[in-house]
Amino acid sequence: MKILVTGAKGFVGKNLIAQLKNSGHTDIFEFDIETDKSLLEKYTKECEFVFHLAGVNRPKDENEFMEGNFGFTSQLLNLLEKNNNRAPILIASTIQAEKDNPYGKSKKAGEDLLFAYSKVTGAKVLVYRFPNLFGKWSRPNYNTVVATFCYNVANGLQLQVNNPDTDLALCYIDDVINELIRALEGAETRKDKYCYVPIVHNIKLGDLAEKIKSFKAGRTDLSIPNMGDELTKKLYSTYLSFLPEDKFSYDLKMNCDNRGSFTEFIRTAENGQVSVNVSKPGITKGNHWHNTKNEKFMVVSGEAVIRFRKIGKDEIIEYRVNGDKFEVVDIPIGYTHSIVNIGEKDLVTIMWVNECFDPENPDTFYLEV
């Protein structure tokens, strides 16, 4: 299928084209403000589906709203009609089309053009009124407040929150693109004459600001946001896409002594803590037990023996593990346990514990295996 995408270099356009290519589409006509205008004649003659994503939302002059959102739409439809091309056409509009402001009026005018065009030509039209969109490749101070907040926090700039109780309706770009591809396949989500993205997230402006600020703090307190919450997961992914290129990495505190080192990697309130333990040859670590705290050990390099003894019993249980075969060993409660490096090189073990370490309640009691 030959697909025309206007606004090809914009936020939605770039994401859509990338996913179309991922899906195997190769005949994509990419049209943007810098494209040779004469190509539009060719594209409107040959295309079999149109994604009309081009538009103006932050012009220097308000007159550009109507010129970009109404004028170009009119030009596009005239060329399709001239070339007798009845290809389906999808337009990216906005919930602002319901409001009496210059931007909303210009988008509403574009919608009306499309409905009139369909009535005259019989071509299928799909009008999507998007709420606030967010995700990778969005532009701060242009596309969405999410992009602005993510950019500012990632770059150490202040956030401006005029009314923290402002309600926001947000759509994640991947959900938008999935819906657009469904529309391409004739399975759009529709209510009356409008189409819509079925997955919308709601949040207050103040809560959004605090959530994004917490993402940066995670590098210090090692916290990971709750990935069970869909909006949080999508916001965190978006935030990471705004990190400065020289700030992708960050240091961890290594607790070192003559036995090796112990380094906390990730801490979560919901899912416990992950750490990296390094033991030098011949070193034994552990020799303690827990009431409620439970752990998982996985040796990723070196050789070890993990020993257990149930409290009050004499029998010692041993598990020999090494980095050549990844194997998880559960550390149950009520068993004193130890891990011994029996190899000739450093032993590296990934350790998970079901709760973050609390120095006020360590639940750790020394007892040799």
Side-chain angles (χ1 to χ4, degrees), residues 121-307:
T121 64
K124 180 179 180 180
V125 300
L126 304 98
V127 177
Y128 280 85
R129 284 185 168 178
F130 294 137
N132 296 284
L133 307 185
F134 72 100
K136 67 183 183 298
W137 305 333
S138 52
R139 291 166 54 188
N141 303 305
Y142 186 82
N143 288 125
T144 167
V145 65
V146 175
T148 304
F149 281 4
C150 287
Y151 176 85
N152 284 12
V153 170
N155 288 275
L157 304 176
Q158 293 294 314
L159 300 188
Q160 181 177 340
V161 181
N162 294 326
N163 182 0
D165 290 325
T166 299
D167 291 313
L168 298 176
L170 304 176
C171 267
Y172 184 52
I173 190 62
D174 287 9
D175 296 325
V176 174
I177 300 308
N178 288 339
E179 171 62 26
L180 296 190
I181 290 178
R182 285 195 294 271
L184 174 67
E185 297 168 348
E188 68 275 6
T189 308
R190 182 185 290 271
K191 183 177 181 181
D192 300 324
K193 65 179 182 178
Y194 293 102
C195 302
Y196 64 96
V197 180
I199 302 175
V200 179
H201 303 281
N202 297 287
I203 190 172
K204 291 189 180 298
L205 183 63
D207 293 337
L208 175 68
E210 292 305 312
K211 189 178 290 288
I212 293 175
K213 285 192 286 187
S214 75
F215 297 158
K216 185 172 186 177
R219 285 191 163 190
T220 303
D221 61 24
L222 305 183
S223 63
I224 293 293
N226 180 10
M227 295 299 155
D229 178 75
E230 281 295 311
L231 176 57
T232 299
K233 180 172 69 174
K234 294 166 183 177
L235 287 171
Y236 186 62
S237 294
T238 302
Y239 169 75
L240 291 180
S241 74
F242 281 92
L243 289 175
E245 292 183 355
D246 61 346
K247 295 291 190 296
F248 285 175
S249 70
Y250 57 101
D251 295 329
L252 296 174
K253 180 187 176 184
M254 297 179 65
N255 300 289
C256 302
D257 58 24
N258 59 357
R259 302 176 303 159
S261 65
F262 182 81
T263 306
E264 294 182 7
F265 174 33
I266 290 173
R267 296 170 64 96
T268 71
E270 303 86 6
N271 299 302
Q273 175 178 315
V274 178
S275 305
V276 180
N277 186 70
V278 179
S279 301
K280 294 185 179 300
I283 292 298
T284 299
K285 289 189 177 182
N287 279 326
H288 59 233
W289 64 281
H290 314 290
N291 280 313
T292 303
K293 182 182 295 186
N294 57 86
E295 301 166 286
K296 293 179 183 289
F297 290 179
M298 184 175 73
V299 169
V300 296
S301 181
E303 298 177 77
V305 58
I306 300 174
R307 295 190 173 106

Side-chain angles (χ1 to χ4, degrees), residues 58-118:
R58 290 186 186 270
K60 294 180 180 179
D61 187 327
E62 285 189 356
N63 293 327
E64 294 177 38
F65 277 130
M66 197 59 72
E67 179 182 340
N69 296 326
F70 173 83
F72 180 66
T73 300
S74 178
Q75 179 186 353
L76 176 66
L77 296 179
N78 286 340
L79 284 173
L80 287 167
E81 191 167 6
K82 171 189 170 184
N83 291 317
N84 198 32
N85 188 339
R86 302 295 183 259
I89 177 167
L90 179 156
I91 189 171
S93 188
T94 169
I95 55 176
Q96 292 290 319
E98 302 171 356
K99 298 184 178 181
D100 187 24
N101 58 50
Y103 175 53
K105 288 178 179 178
S106 67
K107 297 300 282 188
K108 179 66 165 59
E111 293 177 359
D112 291 343
L113 268 181
L114 213 65
F115 289 130
Y117 169 80
S118 176

Side-chain angles (χ1 to χ4, degrees), residues 262 273 286 288-290 292-298 308 328-333 335 337 350-355 363-364:
F262 182 81
Q273 175 178 315
H288 59 233
W289 64 281
H290 314 290
T292 303
K293 182 182 295 186
N294 57 86
E295 301 166 286
K296 293 179 183 289
F297 290 179
M298 184 175 73
F308 299 90
V328 176
V329 179
D330 275 316
I331 313 298
I333 59 175
Y335 284 81
H337 52 276
I350 303 297
M351 296 181 171
W352 171 85
V353 60
N354 66 319
E355 59 185 38
D363 187 17
T364 300

